[in-house]
Amino acid sequence: MEPGKQSEITKLAVVGGSGLFDFDGLQVIGQHRVETPYGKPSAPVLEGEVEGVRMLFLSRHGEGRHLPPHAINYRANIAALQQLGASHIVTINIVGGITSTMGPGVWVIPDQIIDYSWGREHSYSDGTGDVTRHVDFSDPYDRELSEKLLQAAHAVGLEPVVGGTYGCTQGPRLESSAEIQRLRQDGCDLVGMTAMPEAALARELELPYAGFCLVVNWAAGISERMISIEEMQRVVSSNMPPALVVMAKLLA
Ligand code: HPA
């Protein structure tokens, strides 16, 4: 969405990462098996209700969470949501914290991205069409939607950190301590593996896109302790349930 352009959320699509679909507050009404010019999305797109509010849901890692971040068909995912009439996309990401205010259990609404991923199909302009689109990406996350997301989070009693730079790494391994030091020097506050090329593809399709990030661990070398996958899972399980209610409040 261009800066300054106001837009009503007519159909919200939520793209979720690990953990989200364990939440049983979602009442599934239907499933859409979508084909796009870029192939199939990660999973059937669910149409469901949370607290009586209807939305689309897409599990980024697929049913059974089999897709690692570099193997996700981001182009098909975003195109499928557009085909189903999504007007806005909010993504729920699990991330590692780099900046001291962004420790495990903290929600963050980031406003910037640095992309360290590679080898992913990252644009709809792939040389097969007539035109190459150079979209503006100064603000990777839609400001108006991020502001609405903040209000919705407040309505549920959450106090997310506002603003922050998401460094998107390739995965699926976590980073080395030296890589995190480099990200920190570059200005990254958070590290995750899935915001890109998702955010850029949404921009190419002119779909306003915002991120709701849950910090589940200190990034490598930030804390003296080893990163424990069990601990990360615990933070996800205890913090994820309100996230879908926040999505419902976006439309309330
Ligand atoms: N690095 C990258 N992605 C992540 C991390 C991390 O430390 N934690 C959760 N997702």
Side-chain angles (χ1 to χ4, degrees):
M1 176 89 340
E2 284 164 35
K5 213 162 141 188
Q6 298 287 310
S7 64
E8 192 197 340
I9 305 176
T10 51
K11 200 166 203 182
L12 179 67
V14 178
V15 181
S18 324
L20 178 64
F21 290 88
D22 294 342
F23 179 52
D24 52 16
L26 168 67
Q27 266 210 301
V28 178
I29 295 163
Q31 285 199 8
H32 303 275
R33 291 181 191 275
V34 188
E35 276 289 342
T36 80
Y38 312 95
K40 283 192 197 337
S42 301
V45 179
L46 303 182
E47 182 131 16
E49 279 186 0
V50 180
E51 300 199 331
V53 179
R54 193 173 280 216
M55 303 165 222
L56 298 172
F57 295 88
L58 177 58
S59 173
R60 184 190 279 119
H61 297 282
E63 290 167 314
R65 300 180 197 157
H66 61 290
L67 290 171
H70 62 281
I72 292 169
N73 188 340
Y74 295 94
R75 295 200 304 177
N77 283 356
I78 300 299
L81 296 177
Q82 190 192 45
Q83 275 175 227
L84 292 171
S87 66
H88 293 71
I89 298 176
V90 175
T91 163
I92 301 181
N93 297 102
I94 302 302
V95 295
I98 299 175
T99 295
S100 62
T101 50
M102 302 186 196
V106 171
W107 285 97
V108 184
I109 300 175
D111 60 354
Q112 281 298 330
I113 298 179
I114 300 179
D115 188 10
Y116 301 91
S117 69
W118 48 270
R120 304 180 183 186
E121 294 282 3
H122 65 284
S123 173
Y124 293 108
S125 290
D126 57 5
T128 59
D130 300 338
V131 285
T132 297
R133 292 200 62 211
H134 299 286
V135 293
D136 180 85
F137 202 52
S138 314
D139 289 316
Y141 294 102
D142 185 81
R143 285 190 189 195
E144 191 191 336
L145 184 58
S146 298
E147 178 56 36
K148 285 183 178 157
L149 182 57
L150 177 65
Q151 303 309 327
H154 285 165
V156 177
L158 300 178
E159 285 289 345
V161 173
V162 178
T165 298
Y166 179 125
C168 184
T169 56
Q170 178 72 353
R173 66 166 176 83
L174 299 177
E175 300 69 34
S176 69
S177 301
E179 285 170 333
I180 292 298
Q181 279 314 312
R182 174 186 165 209
L183 264 67
R184 195 213 272 273
Q185 279 161 19
D186 285 354
C188 296
D189 301 293
L190 305 167
V191 58
M193 301 174 190
T194 52
M196 288 297 284
E198 204 173 78
L201 293 166
R203 180 61 49 86
E204 285 189 359
L205 296 188
E206 298 184 8
L207 285 168
Y209 178 94
F212 199 40
C213 296
L214 176 64
V215 182
V216 296
N217 61 287
W218 286 114
I222 299 289
S223 144
E224 310 230 303
R225 295 175 53 205
M226 288 262 298
I227 299 175
S228 141
I229 303 300
E230 291 72 36
E231 259 177 57
M232 288 166 72
Q233 203 52 56
R234 265 199 297 280
V235 180
V236 173
S237 322
S238 55
N239 288 281
M240 200 49 84
L244 282 184
V245 184
V246 172
M247 302 303 128
K249 296 283 182 217
L250 264 171
L251 290 136

